[in-house]
Amino acid sequence: MIHRRHALRAAAALSLLALAPGRVLAAEPRTLRIGYQKSSTLIALLKQDGSLEKALEPLKVGLTWHEFTSGLPVMEALNAGQIDLSADVADTVPIFAQAANARITYVAQEAASPAAQAIVVGADSPIKTVADLKGRKVAVTKGAGSHYLLLAALKAEGIPFKAITPAYLTPADGRTALASGGVEAWVAWDPFLSAAELQSGARILKDGTGLSLYKRYYLASDDYAAKHGDILDIVFAKLRDTGTWVKANPDEAATRLGALWKLDPAIVAKANARRTYVVEPVTREGLSEQQTIADAFRAEGLLPRAVDASALGIWAPTKS
């Protein structure tokens, strides 16, 4: 009986200690693993200056960075639990991930930048309009935002996709193929687009204006978004502030990014001028073009199944 009484007193004392002012039980350590591509502009700047680590210090969050070659591998890693958050990916990427049953949640978007991707041809090409692409070989990165731009541009002219010959190439290989004559047109996005214009004299045939909004999205795993909203609040705020800084300081931003990417700052400045870098919450209504994109790829047999693009989870920041 005495032992039981002592045990009850000890339990009560521990409870009071946990609740006492100024005494906090140690929290479990938390981490944030970010997947990014080399061209992830805002994340590249945050990684360089260490400001995101500093912002997360009060929450005692450990931050790690994981580089990928393109958006789809980032989504695969996110769904596999290898990372927690993705840097910006093109609008098409979440759709293909969703078709593969990925468990992911929209965290933020960069507002539409339709001119940041375009169909280009060589400076001396006889091709003058999108209609002239009929019967031509066109380089495009399969499943990228630029792929949807090509579908939309052809549809607007009443040209079926099968009327061209697609060459599915990476951006670097697409540019090489255009320069060598291996293809007659190439669909590119910035900064590859601006580099081709300034370095090779590539000519824009048609950009995304009126055809494709070209939003870029940040996503988290469903589980991470559900459990770590306080961390995502800080990430959202830092992304928003960095986007504002890029537009307010175009020369300094171009210099910093040029050094990171080993690109002429003039190329980066041209590319950044065509991106809004306005980071904002994702809304269900704002995903309407995502459904249009999904339907377009499905109609061409490029998506393995039909998807409801608005069915993914949407995380919302505590303060917009």
Side-chain angles (χ1 to χ4, degrees):
M1 189 67 172
I2 293 175
H3 292 303
R4 175 177 171 78
R5 194 174 299 152
H6 285 169
L8 290 172
R9 286 175 181 170
L14 287 172
S15 298
L16 289 172
L17 183 61
L19 295 173
R23 302 299 295 268
V24 179
L25 292 180
E28 290 186 9
R30 293 193 292 169
T31 59
L32 173 60
R33 300 167 298 171
I34 297 179
Y36 69 99
Q37 302 169 66
K38 188 175 182 180
S39 59
S40 301
T41 306
L42 303 185
I43 287 293
L45 291 169
L46 288 171
K47 182 175 183 291
Q48 181 198 49
D49 66 17
S51 62
L52 184 54
E53 283 95 338
K54 292 177 183 176
L56 290 170
E57 279 179 3
L59 298 184
K60 301 188 184 305
V61 174
L63 178 59
T64 59
W65 308 88
H66 307 268
E67 185 174 345
F68 294 83
T69 56
S70 64
L72 287 174
V74 176
M75 290 297 101
E76 291 170 0
L78 191 63
N79 189 46
Q82 297 167 349
I83 60 173
D84 305 307
L85 177 73
S86 81
D88 59 305
V89 295
D91 41 17
T92 56
V93 175
I95 291 168
F96 279 91
Q98 185 179 359
N101 298 310
R103 299 175 298 280
I104 54 179
T105 294
Y106 286 107
V107 169
Q109 67 181 27
E110 289 179 17
S113 301
Q117 55 180 1
I119 303 169
V120 299
V121 295
D124 300 323
S125 172
I127 299 173
K128 303 299 181 185
T129 67
V130 172
D132 294 336
L133 293 176
K134 188 181 295 185
R136 311 278 188 165
K137 192 172 185 179
V138 182
V140 64
T141 301
K142 192 171 186 178
S146 55
H147 193 172
Y148 173 67
L149 171 59
L150 179 59
L151 290 174
L154 293 172
K155 182 179 179 180
E157 296 295 328
I159 302 170
F161 190 67
K162 63 183 179 182
I164 66 159
T165 301
Y168 293 121
L169 300 172
T170 65
D173 290 342
R175 179 177 173 180
T176 299
L178 181 66
S180 67
V183 299
E184 295 160 282
W186 169 45
V187 198
W189 65 91
D190 274 317
F192 308 106
L193 173 60
S194 292
E197 285 183 280
L198 294 179
Q199 294 176 336
S200 309
R203 172 168 54 86
I204 290 180
L205 188 68
K206 182 70 176 176
D207 67 22
T209 303
L211 295 171
S212 169
L213 293 176
Y214 190 48
K215 294 180 181 180
R216 295 187 68 86
Y217 293 97
Y218 298 80
L219 297 104
S221 67
D222 286 347
D223 186 60
Y224 198 88
K227 294 179 179 178
H228 302 289
D230 55 341
I231 294 175
L232 295 180
D233 270 332
I234 290 174
V235 174
F236 182 92
K238 292 300 295 182
L239 288 170
R240 181 196 58 207
D241 293 346
T242 303
T244 300
W245 180 86
V246 169
K247 300 305 283 188
N249 301 273
D251 294 338
E252 186 179 351
T255 298
R256 284 178 58 185
L257 289 164
L260 284 173
W261 297 338
K262 296 179 173 54
L263 282 177
D264 183 339
I267 292 173
V268 181
K270 187 177 181 68
N272 283 350
R274 291 193 281 224
R275 290 274 294 276
T276 64
Y277 293 122
V278 174
V279 176
E280 54 193 16
V282 177
T283 65
R284 199 74 60 188
E285 297 77 15
L287 292 173
S288 59
E289 187 176 82
Q290 290 295 89
Q291 190 62 54
T292 302
I293 294 171
D295 293 343
F297 278 110
R298 179 62 177 165
E300 293 298 332
L302 297 167
L303 204 63
R305 66 179 182 87
V307 300
D308 176 359
S310 68
L312 287 184
I314 296 177
W315 173 86
T318 303
K319 298 178 180 179
S320 298

